Amino acid sequence: MGREETLKEKTAKGLLWGAVNSGVTQVLSLVVGIFLARLLSPADYGIVGMLAIFTALAGNIQDSGFTAALINLKQPGDKDYNSVFWFNVIVSCCMYIILFICAPLIAAFFRQPCLTELSRLLFLTFVILALGTAQNAYLTKHLMNREKAAIQLVSLAVSMTVALVLAFKGYGYWSLAWQQLAQVIVLSIGRYYCCRWRPSREIDFRPVRRMFAFSNKILFTTIVNTASSNMLAFIFGRLYQPHAVGVFTQANKWNSMGYSMVSGTLAQVAQPVLAAINTDDGRQVRVFRKMLRFTAFLSFPTLLGLALVAEEFILITITDKWIESVVLLRILCISGAFFPLFTLYQNLIISRGRSDIYMWCTLAQTLLQLTVIVSLHRLGIQTMVTVYTAINIAWLLVWQHFAHRLIGIRLADVLKDILPFMLAAAAVMAATYMATLPIRQLGLLLAARIVIAAAGYFALMKLFRVKMLDECIGYLRGRSK
């Protein structure tokens, strides 16, 4: 019983610090993102957005799924961490050399000569990040989420300061590149400082080879996930001008900030906690369902609320030069509301050691999206984004099928857990929209919609005596005493 209480306490603390980290991160990103969007043009964002897929894929290869493999081990030792550390460093250096040579080819593909020098700077990010990957796995494995939150916030503050200074001085897209570089430098330093483990000079890849049977599927799946996440920006970068890519990138950024507030809170605890109880199906179902309810409780009002205020938010904060991103943001927010549920299902499947299911399920989804979207490219960006969103939501049924096979969780129970929150959030947003239609002043409209929607959702949860709300309030009160 004591062990269970300890796990519950660690989970609660992890969720609290994850929420603090995600919340403050998104607030800082919001404020600085507004200033940067005012100072920079859609083309600046579009130029950097074209390179996102290359940086992310190289980072995936550098990690090779060993972070997840370390977390999934019952008791990883120093040799395991050391092996992963040196593997990450060596692979990242090799990847950088390859991409450095290929930079002119990337620039030619997008017909943007400036990408040659920009990419060579930006690609340094995954090399520097490799120096702290094993340490990050250690912090995650030991649920040291307070330390992770502090590191994240300091890195964010430093990188945003760098970006703002450079943007004010007129450096354009270079300010966005240096922002990313500054952030990973501080992240790696912070992880090294907070982690109790230190790498040794001994290079032994035998632990890496033992983990590879599990991690190779994680690696492949992460690559596919990255390709899926950056697919639209990559396709748009080839078909359209940087301005159009920038408009989509801006909409996708705000959507990502919205769902990351929820998924970031869960990501720090979901896999470690689910992996710790993966031999008890009944208990894992109960824990998973509670995580589902917590996710739905936060995700639907957050993302549907963002869709509600998208137009006035964009116009007030980053001006009408970004007005084209409003429609795309609203569409993306619909799938964004479901994205944290994806993350939860994926963590469940990884915690069961079934990286093969994770791999094939993700690959099938990405291939379906790619095939359909490319076939519809003549219909325009809005149609492609709409189809991409629809496939994302429908694919949750596939993840549920495999979750049922692994732990026996029923679709009826899942719907019972998430539908009340989804319907409540949708009803509140619809009522708020109708109630605020007469308001014409943008600032007042934005404030009214936020206040009415938040108060309405809270009142509805109270009216129906939703246990999740009481638990969250009770825990926060307990922590404040």
Side-chain angles (χ1 to χ4, degrees):
M1 185 67 179
R3 183 179 178 182
E4 182 174 349
E5 290 172 351
T6 300
L7 183 61
K8 285 182 178 179
E9 184 179 356
K10 285 184 176 180
T11 303
K13 288 180 179 178
L15 285 172
L16 175 64
W17 282 107
V20 170
N21 185 10
S22 296
V24 178
T25 294
Q26 301 314 320
V27 170
L28 285 174
S29 299
L30 172 68
V31 173
V32 178
I34 289 170
F35 281 107
L36 287 175
R38 283 175 169 269
L39 292 167
L40 304 176
S41 68
D44 289 327
Y45 278 90
I47 289 291
V48 175
M50 292 175 186
L51 295 174
I53 191 169
F54 298 100
T55 307
L57 287 175
N60 296 157
I61 295 171
Q62 162 256 307
D63 177 77
S64 295
F66 290 120
T67 296
L70 283 171
I71 294 170
N72 231 43
L73 290 177
K74 290 296 182 184
Q75 292 182 321
D78 289 348
K79 290 184 177 180
D80 297 311
Y81 286 107
N82 202 63
S83 184
V84 170
F85 173 82
W86 284 111
F87 177 88
N88 288 340
V89 170
I90 293 171
V91 170
S92 66
C93 290
C94 294
M95 286 300 304
Y96 181 76
I97 292 171
I98 293 170
L99 287 173
F100 185 94
I101 296 170
C102 293
L105 300 178
I106 295 172
F109 176 81
F110 289 112
R111 299 183 289 273
Q112 299 293 331
C114 63
L115 290 179
T116 299
E117 295 303 319
L118 181 66
S119 64
R120 286 172 173 170
L121 173 70
L122 202 53
F123 292 157
L124 284 171
T125 55
F126 63 81
V127 178
I128 297 169
L129 203 58
L131 299 172
T133 303
Q135 289 88 339
N136 185 52
Y138 182 95
L139 296 174
T140 304
K141 178 69 178 177
H142 292 84
L143 293 173
M144 297 172 66
N145 294 309
R146 181 175 59 182
E147 291 81 358
K148 289 182 67 176
I151 296 166
Q152 177 68 28
L153 295 178
V154 171
S155 70
L156 195 61
V158 172
S159 65
M160 288 179 170
T161 302
V162 170
L164 284 173
V165 170
L166 292 177
F168 271 118
K169 289 183 174 294
Y171 281 86
Y173 51 76
W174 287 102
S175 59
L176 298 174
W178 279 104
Q179 178 187 17
Q180 294 183 39
L181 193 62
Q183 184 170 11
V184 298
I185 290 172
V186 178
L187 274 175
S188 294
I189 293 172
R191 289 168 178 173
Y192 186 88
Y193 176 79
C194 292
C195 182
R196 301 186 186 97
W197 170 82
R198 292 289 183 269
S200 69
R201 295 180 182 177
E202 180 184 356
I203 300 178
D204 180 6
F205 288 139
R206 283 178 295 180
V208 162
R209 287 197 292 269
R210 288 196 296 271
M211 286 183 269
F212 191 68
F214 175 84
S215 70
N216 75 87
K217 299 180 183 68
I218 298 292
L219 166 62
F220 183 78
T221 309
T222 305
I223 289 174
V224 173
N225 259 331
T226 299
S228 175
S229 300
N230 294 276
M231 177 194 308
L232 293 179
F234 181 78
I235 293 172
F236 297 162
R238 176 63 180 174
L239 297 176
Y240 305 104
Q241 292 298 312
H243 175 89
V245 181
V247 167
F248 168 77
T249 301
Q250 191 68 226
N252 194 44
K253 182 187 77 171
W254 296 117
N255 173 55
S256 297
M257 286 175 60
Y259 68 67
S260 293
M261 187 178 298
V262 182
S263 58
T265 300
L266 286 166
Q268 300 187 53
V269 299
Q271 191 194 342
V273 170
L274 290 170
I277 55 174
N278 63 6
T279 56
D280 186 341
D281 288 357
R283 187 180 177 195
Q284 200 171 43
V285 168
R286 291 193 298 273
V287 171
F288 181 74
R289 288 189 63 189
K290 190 161 189 175
M291 288 183 174
L292 268 180
R293 292 192 293 273
F294 177 77
T295 303
F297 170 72
L298 293 179
S299 184
F300 287 111
T302 300
L303 274 298
L304 296 183
L306 180 56
L308 172 69
V309 301
E311 184 173 356
E312 48 272 25
F313 172 76
I314 294 292
L315 290 174
I316 291 172
T317 57
I318 56 178
T319 73
D320 57 359
K321 71 179 178 182
W322 294 100
I323 190 64
E324 296 170 84
S325 66
V326 170
V327 175
L328 298 180
L329 175 57
R330 283 175 170 160
I331 297 170
L332 289 169
C333 281
I334 297 173
S335 65
F338 291 87
F339 190 87
L341 301 176
F342 269 97
T343 302
L344 198 52
Y345 272 108
Q346 290 165 352
N347 280 311
L348 170 67
I349 288 170
I350 293 172
S351 75
R352 302 291 295 195
R354 294 305 303 270
S355 54
D356 55 331
I357 293 177
Y358 179 40
M359 177 183 70
W360 290 113
C361 191
T362 304
L363 177 62
Q365 178 185 0
T366 303
L367 289 176
L368 175 62
Q369 287 175 322
L370 182 61
T371 302
V372 174
I373 290 169
V374 170
S375 67
L376 297 175
H377 75 275
R378 295 182 183 276
L379 299 179
I381 289 179
Q382 188 172 325
T383 299
M384 287 190 277
V385 172
T386 302
V387 172
Y388 177 84
T389 294
I391 294 174
N392 271 340
I393 297 172
W395 205 259
L396 267 175
L397 294 173
V398 178
W399 289 107
Q400 164 57 30
H401 167 75
F402 288 109
H404 174 70
R405 283 180 49 186
L406 290 175
I407 64 173
I409 186 169
R410 300 180 304 170
L411 177 60
D413 290 330
V414 170
L415 294 177
K416 182 180 177 182
D417 290 332
I418 66 174
L419 275 181
F421 299 108
M422 182 181 74
L423 295 175
V428 167
M429 300 312 154
T432 302
Y433 175 79
M434 297 301 296
T436 55
L437 273 179
I439 303 175
R440 291 289 177 262
Q441 205 280 325
L442 284 177
L444 181 59
L445 179 61
L446 177 62
R449 285 183 169 176
I450 292 174
V451 171
I452 293 173
Y457 188 72
F458 181 84
L460 209 56
M461 296 297 102
K462 273 292 188 182
L463 178 65
F464 288 97
R465 298 178 180 178
V466 174
K467 189 176 179 181
M468 182 58 64
L469 176 64
D470 294 333
E471 288 180 356
C472 290
I473 294 174
Y475 182 75
L476 290 173
R477 284 176 177 170
R479 294 295 299 176
S480 65
K481 292 179 180 178

